[in-house]
């Protein structure tokens, strides 16, 4: 064997050992020299182990290194033997090495952590309890809360959610219930939050809410508890009270406003389409923490949904001004994580929304100027907006041709083009043409739930109720959790005053899947109206309208109020809606049918 290879292997063997003497430089600096436990036979044994590993005999290398680790009790040798087994994908051997390590060094937190990781990799969740309990016991008390909090991510990819709960309950319960005695309150709160996250992932919403409440009782100001409650809001409305109490308790002159939590809360409200409630939360964030740039962007999107284009333009321009430095300094491909948008991507989002705001004001020239700032990575989105601008100027044929000229480099791009053309035609109330485009699309993508849903909506516009029902029931068969299909069928039955008991059951099913959605609440109010329950209907419709003052919700609420004799309020609701969207078909037909002149 050449001398240089022997030297390299000797170096590898030496660096495997933890008790190697400090360097000469360290000694010169006054650092005490620690004598190595490496005698000549042991050095030779390590050298042989590394040579065997280099030559591909992993099994022999593992045995030699593990034997050396047992002789010396050295943690780095145990680690090396464990890593050799892991690299060879020999899980049982790695487990044997790490258990020998734990036996030799009972207080080694690293050995216990390795054991937990290997057991998880081997899918032996039931065996994780003891080493995890020992791992946490070895963590210093002032660091234990952070260690417990990290378990959510640690177990996040484990498929057996019930198994994770079964592991964490006996390990964390003692910490959760020990506040004020042997553990700091922060540790107990972390334990409750981690248990809550695990229960939520396992589908135990009630148990997760109970954990959040226990955490809030210990520390009303704990952000982690508020964030858990926000995560639970879609599944149980009762969780929102914990969030609101957390935000309401913020001192007026707090040195660090709770803006990060408020931003997450606003996003949760927006996802539930509760735009009116989300807007003041974001306005507060932009005032108290203007450095949170995403708040400006999200607020701009909400203003657009609420048809407040001037306000949207103001906050989006502010976003662009504040984010310019980030765009210049951050590489185009860099982001905080795989799902996060880069500063440049967020800038593009702002340009697109500014184009939409200009379009709402019917300033088509300004809209085109904003679209011109967008690079080619958003070709379909930009061309779809350009097509919309052309159509609104009476150039529908040119608009459709613009979309059709886009390349189809993948099935996904072809599908997106067809959907964009169908949406364009729907905006222009070209129901039959949109129906035809979607029929072509479904021949290419027959089980696509989004295309089926769009086709069902066009069938309804063309008074093809039987076809619409068939399409929606097909969606439900393909995707039993498709809330929109249940709602669309239930609402249409209610609107036609047919099979009202079935309509109500369908809408209630949709609300179970998407609690609090204002459009679903509107549907429930509408079916109650058809059933003759006017007061109940008004309650639901007011709730929907408060959450999202949509023109069609306003049309429904106004009609029920009118029929119930509350005509002044009905006129007020209708007038507000007409000021936002005077051309809405449902509003116009409602006013005409009831012979109301505003």
């Amino acid at each position: 064997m050449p001398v240089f290879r022997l030297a390299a292997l000797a170096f590898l063997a030496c660096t495997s050992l933890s008790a190697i003497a400090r360097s000469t430089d360290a000694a010169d600096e006054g650092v005490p020299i620690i004598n190595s436990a490496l005698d000549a036979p042991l050095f030779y044994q390590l050298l042989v182990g590394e040579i065997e590993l280099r030559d591909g005999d992993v099994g022999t290398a593992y045995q030699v290194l593990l034997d050396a680790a047992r002789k010396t009790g050295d943690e780095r040798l145990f680690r090396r033997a464990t890593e050799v087994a892991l690299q060879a994908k020999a899980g049982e051997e790695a487990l044997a090495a790490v258990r020998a390590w734990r036996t030799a060094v009972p207080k080694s937190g690293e050995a216990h952590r390795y054991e937990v990781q290997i057991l998880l990799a081997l899918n032996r969740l039931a065996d994780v309890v003891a080493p995890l309990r020992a791992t946490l016991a070895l963590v210093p008390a002032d660091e234990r809360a952070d260690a417990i909090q990290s378990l959510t991510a640690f177990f996040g990819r484990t498929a057996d959610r019930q198994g994770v709960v079964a592991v964490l309950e006996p390990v964390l319960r003692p910490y959760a219930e020990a506040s004020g005695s042997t553990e700091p309150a922060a540790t107990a709160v972390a334990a409750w939050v981690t248990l809550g996250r695990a229960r939520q992932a396992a589908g135990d919403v009630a148990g997760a809410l109970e954990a959040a409440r226990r955490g809030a009782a210990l520390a009303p100001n704990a952000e982690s508890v508020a964030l858990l409650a926000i995560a639970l809001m879609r599944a149980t409305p009762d969780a929102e009270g914990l969030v609101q109490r957390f935000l309401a308790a913020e001192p007026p002159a707090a040195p660090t406003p709770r803006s990060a939590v408020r931003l997450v809360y606003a996003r949760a409200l927006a996802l539930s389409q509760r735009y009116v409630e989300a807007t003041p939360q974001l306005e507060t964030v932009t005032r108290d923490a203007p450095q949170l740039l995403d708040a400006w962007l999200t607020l701009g999107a909400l203003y657009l949904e609420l048809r407040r284009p001037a306000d949207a333009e103001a906050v989006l321009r502010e976003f662009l001004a504040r984010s310019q430095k980030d765009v210049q300094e951050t590489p185009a491909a860099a982001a905080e994580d795989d799902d996060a948008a880069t500063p440049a991507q967020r800038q593009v989002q702002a340009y697109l929304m500014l184009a939409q705001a200009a379009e709402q004001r019917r300033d088509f020239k300004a809209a085109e100027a904003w679209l011109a700032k967008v690079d080619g990575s958003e070709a379909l989105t930009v061309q779809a907006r350009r097509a919309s601008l052309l159509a609104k100027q009476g150039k529908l044929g040119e608009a459709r041709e613009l979309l059709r000229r886009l390349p189809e480099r993948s099935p996904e791009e072809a599908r997106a083009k067809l959907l964009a053309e169908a949406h364009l035609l729907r905006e222009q109330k070209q129901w039959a043409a949109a129906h035809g485009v979607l029929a072509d699309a479904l021949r290419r993508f027959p089980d696509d739930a989004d295309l089926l849903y769009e086709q069902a909506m066009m069938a309804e516009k063309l008074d093809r109720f039987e076809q619409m029902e068939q399409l929606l029931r097909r969606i439900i068969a393909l995707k039993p959790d498709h809330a929109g299909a249940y709602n669309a069928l239930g609402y249409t039955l209610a609107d036609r005053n047919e099979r009202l008991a079935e309509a109500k059951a369908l809408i209630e099913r949709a609300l179970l899947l998407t609690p609090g959605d204002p459009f679903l609440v509107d549907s429930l109010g509408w079916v109650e109206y058809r059933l003759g329950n006017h007061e109940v209907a008004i309650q639901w419709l007011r709730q929907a309208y408060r959450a999202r003052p949509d023109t069609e919700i306003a049309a429904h609420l106004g009609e029920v109020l009118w029929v119930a004799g509350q005509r002044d309020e009905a006129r007020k609701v209708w007038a507000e809606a007409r000021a936002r969207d005077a051309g809405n078909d449902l509003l116009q037909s409602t006013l005409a049918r009831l012979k109301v002149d505003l």
Side-chain angles (χ1 to χ4, degrees):
M1 180 181 291
V3 173
F4 73 84
R5 187 176 180 201
L6 275 173
L9 290 173
F11 173 76
L12 285 172
C14 290
T15 55
S16 303
L17 194 60
S18 68
I20 295 175
R22 302 296 178 86
S23 68
T24 304
D25 289 342
D28 291 343
E29 293 172 4
V31 178
I33 296 175
I34 301 175
N35 291 326
S36 171
L38 185 65
D39 57 19
L42 182 55
F43 175 82
Y44 179 74
Q45 185 176 1
L46 295 178
L47 185 59
V48 169
E50 293 293 344
I51 291 172
E52 296 293 350
L53 183 62
R54 178 64 63 89
D55 288 344
D57 189 351
V58 178
T60 301
Y62 164 78
Q63 293 294 343
V64 169
L65 290 167
L66 182 55
D67 182 62
R70 284 184 170 127
K71 287 177 179 177
T72 62
D74 190 284
E75 289 205 66
R76 272 185 276 188
L77 283 175
F78 280 115
R79 185 188 305 111
R80 180 66 173 151
T82 304
E83 289 171 350
V84 166
L86 290 173
Q87 288 166 9
K89 299 182 179 179
E92 293 297 335
E93 285 74 11
L95 184 60
V98 82
R99 283 178 169 170
W101 178 3
R102 181 168 52 80
T103 301
V105 191
K107 293 187 177 181
S108 171
E110 187 177 11
H112 288 88
R113 286 194 298 274
Y114 260 102
E115 184 175 4
V116 171
Q117 290 169 334
I118 292 167
L119 286 168
L120 279 180
L122 293 173
N123 199 28
R124 290 169 55 177
L125 263 176
D127 296 331
V128 168
V129 172
L132 181 59
R133 183 182 284 127
T135 300
L136 290 177
L138 290 168
V139 175
D142 60 347
E143 299 175 11
R144 196 169 286 132
D146 290 339
I148 289 173
Q149 202 92 21
S150 71
L151 294 177
T152 297
F154 183 78
F155 285 98
R157 295 185 179 180
T158 304
D160 184 1
R161 303 298 192 183
Q162 301 289 347
V164 171
V165 174
V167 168
L168 292 179
E169 287 283 354
V171 173
L172 297 185
R173 271 280 184 175
Y175 294 107
E177 296 175 348
S179 176
S181 54
T182 60
E183 291 292 332
T187 304
V189 170
W192 281 121
V193 169
T194 303
L195 284 172
R197 294 282 186 183
R199 291 171 180 176
Q200 178 194 15
D204 181 7
V205 175
L209 180 59
E210 186 257 345
R213 285 172 171 160
R214 295 286 295 270
L218 291 170
N221 296 326
E223 287 191 4
S224 59
V225 175
L227 292 171
L228 170 59
I230 292 170
L232 291 169
M233 277 172 46
R234 286 180 71 84
T236 172
D238 292 342
E240 190 168 359
L242 295 174
V243 184
Q244 292 172 340
R245 284 196 291 275
F246 172 84
L247 294 173
E250 180 178 357
T256 306
R258 298 170 184 180
S259 299
V261 172
R262 197 179 293 276
L263 177 56
V264 177
Y265 177 47
R267 286 172 174 165
L269 292 171
L271 283 173
S272 296
Q273 300 190 53
R274 295 166 58 184
Y275 299 148
V276 172
E277 294 165 87
T279 300
Q281 299 295 335
L282 288 166
E283 289 169 342
T284 300
V285 174
T286 56
R287 183 194 68 226
D288 292 346
Q291 75 279 6
L292 296 178
L293 296 180
D294 281 353
W296 296 95
L297 197 61
T298 308
L299 182 57
L302 291 189
Y303 282 147
L304 285 175
E305 289 289 343
L306 296 171
R307 303 192 70 81
R308 294 168 57 180
D311 291 329
E313 287 180 340
V315 298
L316 290 169
R317 286 177 183 275
E318 183 69 21
F319 167 80
L320 288 174
R322 290 177 175 276
S323 65
Q324 191 58 39
K325 183 179 179 182
D326 287 346
V327 173
Q328 293 169 347
E329 295 180 354
T330 306
E336 294 175 3
D337 57 59
D338 292 342
D339 297 324
T342 66
Q345 289 168 335
R346 289 197 291 269
Q347 185 183 63
V348 166
Q349 292 171 8
Y351 290 150
L352 291 170
M353 285 192 284
L354 280 161
Q356 188 178 349
E359 186 177 343
Q360 283 187 5
R361 294 189 293 100
R362 302 192 67 79
D363 187 345
F364 302 131
K365 183 177 179 181
E368 176 57 43
W370 286 115
L371 291 176
K373 292 178 176 289
V374 180
D375 62 30
S377 64
E378 298 288 341
L380 178 59
T381 304
V382 171
Q383 297 300 69
R385 293 249 53 89
R386 285 195 172 119
S388 177
L389 294 176
L390 287 168
K392 287 178 179 178
Q393 296 173 76
K395 302 175 182 178
L396 180 59
E398 189 178 338
R400 294 181 72 179
E401 185 60 28
L402 181 66
L403 292 175
R404 290 175 174 178
R405 285 200 304 266
L406 286 168
E408 295 182 14
R409 291 162 295 194
S410 67
E412 291 75 19
E413 287 186 348
R415 173 186 175 279
K417 278 179 57 179
L418 290 164
L419 267 175
E421 186 176 359
H423 288 166
L424 175 72
L425 291 165
R426 186 180 64 184
E427 283 181 356
Q428 297 302 307
K429 302 178 184 178
Q430 301 291 315
W431 318 128
H435 188 277
V437 169
L438 289 163
D440 291 340
L442 283 167
R443 280 190 281 273
R444 296 177 65 178
F445 307 99
D447 290 329
D448 188 295
D450 292 335
L451 292 171
L452 288 166
Y453 185 81
E454 292 294 328
Q455 182 74 316
M457 296 303 96
M458 292 305 97
E460 188 271 334
K461 291 293 186 183
L462 294 168
D463 291 325
R464 300 177 185 177
F465 176 72
E466 289 184 5
Q467 183 191 20
M468 185 205 76
E469 182 170 2
Q470 289 173 356
L471 289 165
L472 291 174
R473 292 199 182 280
R474 185 175 168 194
I475 295 170
I476 291 169
L478 289 169
K479 294 186 68 176
D481 61 346
H482 196 295
Y486 291 102
N487 177 64
L489 183 53
Y491 172 78
T492 304
L493 286 169
D495 203 44
R496 294 166 64 91
N497 217 6
E498 298 177 3
R499 294 148 52 190
L500 295 179
E502 181 185 356
K504 184 176 178 181
L506 287 163
I507 294 165
E508 288 175 337
R509 172 63 177 160
L511 273 165
L512 282 175
L513 293 167
T514 314
D517 184 306
F519 289 115
L520 307 189
V521 174
D522 168 69
S523 296
L524 186 58
W526 195 239
V527 76
E528 291 288 3
Y529 169 56
R530 291 301 199 196
L531 287 164
N533 303 322
H534 292 177
E535 289 305 313
V536 176
I538 289 171
Q539 290 175 10
W540 286 121
L541 291 167
R542 278 177 175 156
Q543 177 182 322
Y545 189 63
R546 280 195 302 269
R548 182 166 182 177
D550 178 81
T551 305
E552 297 196 357
I553 297 175
H556 289 153
L557 175 58
E559 178 168 343
V560 181
L561 289 167
W562 185 267
V563 171
Q566 301 178 45
R567 299 196 167 186
D568 288 343
E569 184 180 352
R571 288 179 179 278
K572 179 176 181 292
V573 170
W574 282 328
E576 289 174 354
R578 191 173 67 173
R580 288 190 301 270
D581 187 9
N584 182 271
D585 289 342
L586 180 61
L587 178 61
Q588 289 181 340
S589 65
T590 300
L591 294 174
R593 177 165 43 82
L594 296 175
K595 299 179 181 180
V596 177
D597 184 6
L598 296 179

